[in-house]
Amino acid sequence: MTEEVALPQAPDEAREVFGESFPKAVRYAELLADAGVTRGLIGPREVPRLWERHLLNCAVLSEVVPEGVTVCDVGSGAGLPGIPLALVRPDLKITLLEPLLRRTNFLQEVVELLGLDHVTVVRGRAEEVLGSLQPVHVVTARAVAPLDRLAGWGVPLLRPYGEMLALKGDTAEEEINGARAALSKLGVVDTEVLHVGEGVVDPTSTVVRVVVGESPGGVRFAAKRAKAARTSRTRRRR
Protein backbone atom coordinates (compact mmCIF):
# COMPACT_ATOMS: atom_id res chain seq x y z
CA MET A 1 0.00 0.00 0.00
CA THR A 2 1.37 3.42 -1.01
CA GLU A 3 1.91 5.80 1.87
CA GLU A 4 0.00 9.04 1.37
CA VAL A 5 2.10 12.19 1.46
CA ALA A 6 0.51 15.65 1.60
CA LEU A 7 1.07 18.00 -1.30
CA PRO A 8 2.49 21.29 0.01
CA GLN A 9 0.89 24.61 -0.79
CA ALA A 10 2.08 26.21 -4.01
CA PRO A 11 4.88 28.74 -3.46
CA ASP A 12 4.42 32.38 -4.47
CA GLU A 13 6.77 31.85 -7.41
CA ALA A 14 4.28 29.42 -8.94
CA ARG A 15 1.59 32.11 -9.16
CA GLU A 16 4.02 34.38 -10.95
CA VAL A 17 5.36 31.75 -13.37
CA PHE A 18 2.06 30.10 -14.32
CA GLY A 19 0.00 33.29 -14.32
CA GLU A 20 -3.54 32.68 -15.61
CA SER A 21 -2.79 28.95 -15.75
CA PHE A 22 -2.00 28.77 -12.03
CA PRO A 23 -5.29 26.95 -11.12
CA LYS A 24 -4.50 24.37 -13.81
CA ALA A 25 -0.96 23.98 -12.45
CA VAL A 26 -2.42 23.32 -8.97
CA ARG A 27 -4.75 20.70 -10.43
CA TYR A 28 -1.87 19.05 -12.27
CA ALA A 29 0.18 18.97 -9.06
CA GLU A 30 -2.77 17.33 -7.29
CA LEU A 31 -3.04 14.71 -10.03
CA LEU A 32 0.68 13.95 -9.79
CA ALA A 33 0.46 13.65 -6.01
CA ASP A 34 -2.54 11.31 -6.26
CA ALA A 35 -2.88 9.26 -9.47
CA GLY A 36 0.75 9.90 -10.39
CA VAL A 37 1.88 8.14 -7.23
CA THR A 38 -0.68 5.32 -7.19
CA ARG A 39 0.08 4.49 -10.82
CA GLY A 40 3.82 4.49 -10.18
CA LEU A 41 4.63 7.51 -12.35
CA ILE A 42 6.41 9.35 -9.55
CA GLY A 43 7.62 8.21 -6.14
CA PRO A 44 5.79 9.29 -2.98
CA ARG A 45 8.97 10.94 -1.71
CA GLU A 46 8.74 13.42 -4.61
CA VAL A 47 5.38 14.81 -3.48
CA PRO A 48 6.76 17.30 -0.88
CA ARG A 49 9.03 18.81 -3.55
CA LEU A 50 6.69 18.63 -6.52
CA TRP A 51 6.53 22.39 -6.97
CA GLU A 52 10.20 23.34 -6.72
CA ARG A 53 11.88 20.23 -8.11
CA HIS A 54 9.38 19.31 -10.81
CA LEU A 55 6.74 21.84 -11.91
CA LEU A 56 8.75 25.05 -11.54
CA ASN A 57 12.00 23.38 -12.53
CA CYS A 58 10.34 22.43 -15.83
CA ALA A 59 8.23 25.54 -16.37
CA VAL A 60 11.27 27.83 -16.45
CA LEU A 61 12.44 25.97 -19.56
CA SER A 62 10.04 28.34 -21.34
CA GLU A 63 12.69 31.06 -21.00
CA VAL A 64 14.71 29.50 -23.83
CA VAL A 65 11.94 28.14 -26.09
CA PRO A 66 11.26 30.39 -29.11
CA GLU A 67 7.79 31.81 -29.66
CA GLY A 68 5.14 29.92 -31.62
CA VAL A 69 7.18 26.79 -32.42
CA THR A 70 6.37 23.09 -32.49
CA VAL A 71 7.75 21.00 -29.63
CA CYS A 72 8.13 17.26 -29.03
CA ASP A 73 8.67 16.18 -25.42
CA VAL A 74 10.54 12.87 -25.74
CA GLY A 75 9.97 10.27 -23.03
CA SER A 76 7.40 12.54 -21.43
CA GLY A 77 6.62 10.15 -18.56
CA ALA A 78 4.26 11.95 -16.19
CA GLY A 79 4.36 15.03 -18.44
CA LEU A 80 7.61 16.63 -17.34
CA PRO A 81 8.66 19.03 -18.78
CA GLY A 82 5.94 19.03 -21.45
CA ILE A 83 2.86 19.86 -19.38
CA PRO A 84 4.37 22.66 -17.24
CA LEU A 85 5.74 24.12 -20.48
CA ALA A 86 2.29 23.89 -22.08
CA LEU A 87 0.71 25.64 -19.09
CA VAL A 88 2.95 28.69 -19.38
CA ARG A 89 3.20 28.75 -23.19
CA PRO A 90 -0.15 28.42 -24.97
CA ASP A 91 1.58 29.70 -28.14
CA LEU A 92 3.37 26.36 -28.57
CA LYS A 93 2.12 23.20 -30.26
CA ILE A 94 3.39 20.37 -28.07
CA THR A 95 3.52 16.62 -28.63
CA LEU A 96 4.03 14.42 -25.56
CA LEU A 97 5.82 11.32 -26.83
CA GLU A 98 5.81 8.35 -24.46
CA PRO A 99 6.04 4.58 -25.17
CA LEU A 100 4.31 3.16 -22.07
CA LEU A 101 0.53 2.77 -22.16
CA ARG A 102 -0.11 3.54 -18.47
CA ARG A 103 1.77 6.79 -18.86
CA THR A 104 0.06 7.84 -22.09
CA ASN A 105 -3.31 7.09 -20.47
CA PHE A 106 -2.40 9.41 -17.60
CA LEU A 107 -1.13 12.09 -19.98
CA GLN A 108 -4.30 11.96 -22.07
CA GLU A 109 -6.45 12.29 -18.96
CA VAL A 110 -4.43 15.32 -17.79
CA VAL A 111 -4.54 17.00 -21.21
CA GLU A 112 -8.33 16.58 -21.41
CA LEU A 113 -8.99 17.58 -17.81
CA LEU A 114 -6.88 20.74 -18.08
CA GLY A 115 -8.23 21.63 -21.53
CA LEU A 116 -4.80 21.78 -23.16
CA ASP A 117 -5.97 21.98 -26.78
CA HIS A 118 -2.46 22.74 -28.02
CA VAL A 119 -1.09 19.46 -26.66
CA THR A 120 -1.20 16.03 -28.34
CA VAL A 121 -0.30 12.71 -26.73
CA VAL A 122 1.42 10.12 -28.92
CA ARG A 123 2.33 6.62 -27.78
CA GLY A 124 5.59 5.37 -29.22
CA ARG A 125 9.35 5.51 -29.14
CA ALA A 126 11.22 8.28 -30.92
CA GLU A 127 12.80 5.85 -33.38
CA GLU A 128 9.35 4.39 -34.20
CA VAL A 129 7.64 7.69 -35.04
CA LEU A 130 10.40 9.01 -37.28
CA GLY A 131 8.72 9.81 -40.58
CA SER A 132 5.17 9.65 -39.25
CA LEU A 133 5.60 12.55 -36.82
CA GLN A 134 6.11 15.92 -38.50
CA PRO A 135 9.61 17.27 -37.75
CA VAL A 136 9.54 19.86 -34.96
CA HIS A 137 11.44 23.04 -34.14
CA VAL A 138 12.30 21.95 -30.59
CA VAL A 139 12.73 18.62 -28.79
CA THR A 140 12.59 18.66 -24.98
CA ALA A 141 13.54 15.96 -22.49
CA ARG A 142 14.16 15.45 -18.81
CA ALA A 143 15.79 12.52 -17.02
CA VAL A 144 15.43 10.25 -20.06
CA ALA A 145 18.97 9.07 -20.88
CA PRO A 146 22.63 10.17 -21.13
CA LEU A 147 23.11 12.89 -23.73
CA ASP A 148 24.63 10.72 -26.46
CA ARG A 149 21.74 8.25 -26.34
CA LEU A 150 19.11 10.97 -25.90
CA ALA A 151 20.44 12.84 -28.93
CA GLY A 152 20.21 9.66 -31.00
CA TRP A 153 16.49 9.56 -30.26
CA GLY A 154 15.62 13.26 -30.22
CA VAL A 155 17.79 14.95 -32.85
CA PRO A 156 16.32 13.03 -35.85
CA LEU A 157 12.86 14.39 -34.92
CA LEU A 158 14.00 17.97 -35.49
CA ARG A 159 13.52 20.22 -38.48
CA PRO A 160 16.67 21.60 -40.12
CA TYR A 161 18.30 24.15 -37.78
CA GLY A 162 16.11 23.01 -34.88
CA GLU A 163 17.30 22.45 -31.34
CA MET A 164 17.06 19.97 -28.50
CA LEU A 165 16.70 21.33 -24.96
CA ALA A 166 17.53 18.74 -22.33
CA LEU A 167 17.13 19.42 -18.62
CA LYS A 168 20.26 18.06 -16.97
CA GLY A 169 22.15 18.22 -13.69
CA ASP A 170 25.62 19.21 -12.52
CA THR A 171 27.33 16.85 -14.99
CA ALA A 172 25.99 18.67 -18.07
CA GLU A 173 29.42 19.83 -19.27
CA GLU A 174 30.86 16.33 -18.80
CA GLU A 175 27.99 14.81 -20.78
CA ILE A 176 28.60 17.22 -23.65
CA ASN A 177 32.32 16.43 -23.70
CA GLY A 178 31.65 12.69 -23.66
CA ALA A 179 29.06 12.92 -26.43
CA ARG A 180 30.85 15.19 -28.91
CA ALA A 181 31.66 12.45 -31.43
CA ALA A 182 28.11 11.08 -31.37
CA LEU A 183 26.62 14.57 -31.65
CA SER A 184 28.79 15.41 -34.64
CA LYS A 185 27.59 12.30 -36.49
CA LEU A 186 24.01 13.38 -35.80
CA GLY A 187 24.49 16.69 -37.58
CA VAL A 188 24.84 18.82 -34.44
CA VAL A 189 26.62 22.11 -35.11
CA ASP A 190 26.55 23.76 -31.68
CA THR A 191 26.09 22.93 -27.99
CA GLU A 192 25.90 25.04 -24.86
CA VAL A 193 24.87 24.85 -21.22
CA LEU A 194 22.20 27.31 -20.10
CA HIS A 195 20.93 28.17 -16.62
CA VAL A 196 17.29 29.23 -16.37
CA GLY A 197 14.90 30.14 -13.59
CA GLU A 198 16.96 32.76 -11.77
CA GLY A 199 14.87 33.99 -8.85
CA VAL A 200 12.34 31.20 -9.31
CA VAL A 201 14.17 27.96 -8.50
CA ASP A 202 17.28 27.44 -6.40
CA PRO A 203 19.49 26.07 -7.78
CA THR A 204 18.61 27.24 -11.26
CA SER A 205 17.62 24.64 -13.87
CA THR A 206 20.47 23.44 -16.08
CA VAL A 207 19.65 23.01 -19.76
CA VAL A 208 21.84 21.49 -22.46
CA ARG A 209 21.05 23.15 -25.78
CA VAL A 210 21.93 21.13 -28.87
CA VAL A 211 21.54 22.86 -32.25
CA VAL A 212 21.46 20.99 -35.56
CA GLY A 213 22.32 22.08 -39.08
CA GLU A 214 20.49 21.26 -42.28
CA SER A 215 20.60 17.46 -41.74
CA PRO A 216 19.17 16.57 -38.30
CA GLY A 217 20.33 13.07 -37.43
CA GLY A 218 22.97 13.03 -40.14
CA VAL A 219 22.94 11.30 -43.53
CA ARG A 220 21.42 8.02 -42.31
CA PHE A 221 18.35 9.66 -40.82
CA ALA A 222 17.95 12.00 -43.80
CA ALA A 223 17.56 8.90 -45.97
CA LYS A 224 15.02 7.43 -43.54
CA ARG A 225 12.96 10.63 -43.56
CA ALA A 226 13.02 10.80 -47.36
CA LYS A 227 11.82 7.20 -47.61
CA ALA A 228 9.04 7.84 -45.08
CA ALA A 229 7.95 10.96 -46.99
CA ARG A 230 7.77 9.01 -50.27
CA THR A 231 5.70 6.30 -48.57
CA SER A 232 3.34 8.90 -47.12
CA ARG A 233 2.82 10.55 -50.53
CA THR A 234 2.10 7.17 -52.14
CA ARG A 235 -0.54 6.38 -49.51
CA ARG A 236 -2.25 9.74 -50.02
CA ARG A 237 -2.55 9.12 -53.78
CA ARG A 238 -4.37 5.81 -53.23
Side-chain angles (χ1 to χ4, degrees):
M1 182 176 178
T2 305
E3 181 183 351
E4 290 189 12
V5 182
L7 175 69
Q9 186 175 353
D12 293 339
E13 292 84 356
R15 291 182 180 275
E16 180 181 346
V17 170
F18 289 103
E20 292 182 358
S21 293
F22 175 70
K24 293 183 178 182
V26 171
R27 187 70 185 105
Y28 177 48
E30 291 170 347
L31 290 166
L32 286 175
D34 184 2
V37 173
T38 57
R39 297 188 194 183
L41 303 182
I42 66 165
R45 293 182 180 179
E46 296 303 311
V47 173
R49 50 187 185 177
L50 265 179
W51 284 106
E52 289 82 0
R53 184 178 174 86
H54 298 287
L55 274 75
L56 287 171
N57 178 271
C58 291
V60 295
L61 183 63
S62 65
E63 294 177 15
V64 289
V65 177
E67 185 177 350
V69 298
T70 52
V71 178
C72 181
D73 189 31
V74 173
S76 195
L80 301 164
I83 289 178
L85 184 60
L87 288 170
V88 297
R89 293 290 300 278
D91 60 296
L92 305 175
K93 287 190 176 298
I94 300 177
T95 298
L96 306 179
L97 182 62
E98 168 57 47
L100 294 184
L101 180 60
R102 63 187 172 89
R103 293 178 180 171
T104 53
N105 284 343
F106 174 79
L107 292 173
Q108 192 60 51
E109 291 167 16
V110 171
V111 166
E112 292 176 4
L113 184 65
L114 301 185
L116 301 177
D117 297 334
H118 58 305
V119 178
T120 303
V121 178
V122 174
R123 185 185 175 198
R125 299 182 185 279
E127 58 269 35
E128 296 170 346
V129 301
L130 184 66
S132 61
L133 189 70
Q134 284 293 319
V136 297
H137 297 92
V138 176
V139 163
T140 58
R142 179 181 188 250
V144 174
L147 186 60
D148 54 351
R149 232 184 320 149
L150 174 61
W153 299 331
V155 166
L157 300 177
L158 290 169
R159 295 172 49 145
Y161 310 105
E163 59 191 76
M164 184 175 74
L165 299 170
L167 282 160
K168 289 288 184 179
D170 297 336
T171 60
E173 291 281 5
E174 294 174 27
E175 285 200 50
I176 289 176
N177 291 332
R180 288 198 187 280
L183 294 175
S184 179
K185 289 180 181 178
L186 289 167
V188 172
V189 296
D190 190 26
T191 58
E192 63 179 323
V193 175
L194 307 171
H195 297 280
V196 296
E198 182 71 39
V200 178
V201 288
D202 185 19
T204 55
S205 299
T206 301
V207 180
V208 171
R209 182 172 181 255
V210 173
V211 182
V212 298
E214 62 182 15
S215 297
V219 176
R220 182 162 63 95
F221 286 102
K224 276 189 177 184
R225 275 193 297 272
K227 182 179 179 181
R230 288 195 299 272
T231 302
S232 177
R233 285 196 298 270
T234 301
R235 286 174 180 167
R236 285 199 297 268
R237 291 194 193 106
R238 290 175 181 171

